[in-house]
Amino acid sequence: MRNLRLRSALLVPMWLGSALLGTAAVSGCEAVAAGDDFTQAYDGYLNKCASCHAPGAAGATAGIETTLDFSTADTARASLKTGSAAGLTGNQASCNGVPFVVAGKPEQSLLMAVLDENVRQNLDLASHAGCDGTAATDMTIRVGGADADAIAKVRAWITAGAE
Ligand code: HEC
């Protein structure tokens, strides 16, 4: 008898605890299912960049931006997070070595500079002074125009830490 009471006294908080955990797990799943900012930006827009920036892409220029891989949302996210510009020649060469994304700092991210005219014109990198608004190129024209909604999502993703 004593034992039974002790058991049920323990069981109630355990049941409550798992019910609470269950709720947290379910809402976590919903957030992922809807897609984060980056995935939405990729699905709606950045996938077009793969016509040039993907291994073997028809529009690729040999040796240029071999680090960028827009084949899938996952490869795009990974190559943008860890990569930096490489293989650029001529006027763009001063951007070689510039990271595509600086977590938390959209104004200093080369990815934003190629998507947003304002960021591009104000680009001011202490480490690469030559990579300014004339060296970073507008990439929106290469995919037929800008998509303000998707670009806002890229900005939100970088601002939130580019995870
Ligand atoms: C038609 C081919 C083509 C498409 C489509 C394209 N790019 Fe590029 N991209 C290039 C080339 C070529 C370069 C090398 C620099 C240059 O020529 O301007 C480059 C360079 C870059 C760079 C390096 C920075 C710079 O200014 O050179 C980034 C970042 C970049 N592209 C991102 C993108 C993104 C994001 C998209 C999609 C919105 C995209 N590109 C679409 C061809 C393309």
Side-chain angles (χ1 to χ4, degrees):
M1 190 65 197
R2 238 188 118 195
N3 230 338
L4 247 179
R5 249 202 222 143
L6 188 67
R7 269 238 197 103
S8 48
L10 280 171
L11 273 175
V12 170
M14 271 170 72
W15 175 84
L16 256 177
S18 61
L20 286 174
L21 276 175
T23 318
V26 166
S27 51
C29 279
E30 276 162 6
V32 171
D36 72 340
D37 284 326
F38 184 82
T39 309
Q40 288 178 28
Y42 180 85
D43 289 346
Y45 185 66
L46 293 179
N47 62 77
K48 298 180 188 173
C49 313
S51 62
C52 293
H53 298 298
T61 307
I64 284 183
E65 289 316 332
T66 45
T67 38
L68 280 177
D69 183 357
F70 283 92
S71 306
T72 68
D74 284 347
T75 62
R77 187 195 298 264
S79 61
L80 287 167
K81 267 173 71 170
T82 57
S84 48
L88 299 171
T89 57
N91 197 27
Q92 279 93 38
S94 44
C95 294
N96 281 326
V98 173
F100 298 123
V101 165
V102 179
K105 298 189 170 144
E107 309 304 324
Q108 289 175 38
S109 296
L110 191 55
L111 175 63
M112 275 311 292
V114 301
L115 295 174
D116 180 312
E117 165 85 38
N118 211 18
V119 174
R120 188 162 59 251
Q121 293 317 326
N122 293 305
L123 195 61
D124 185 10
L125 305 170
S127 58
H128 292 79
C131 185
D132 58 12
T134 62
T137 342
D138 182 1
M139 287 292 143
T140 65
I141 48 168
R142 310 226 179 157
V143 292
D147 175 338
D149 206 51
I151 293 169
K153 289 202 157 67
V154 173
R155 176 185 280 277
W157 173 66
I158 296 175
T159 304
E163 279 315 316

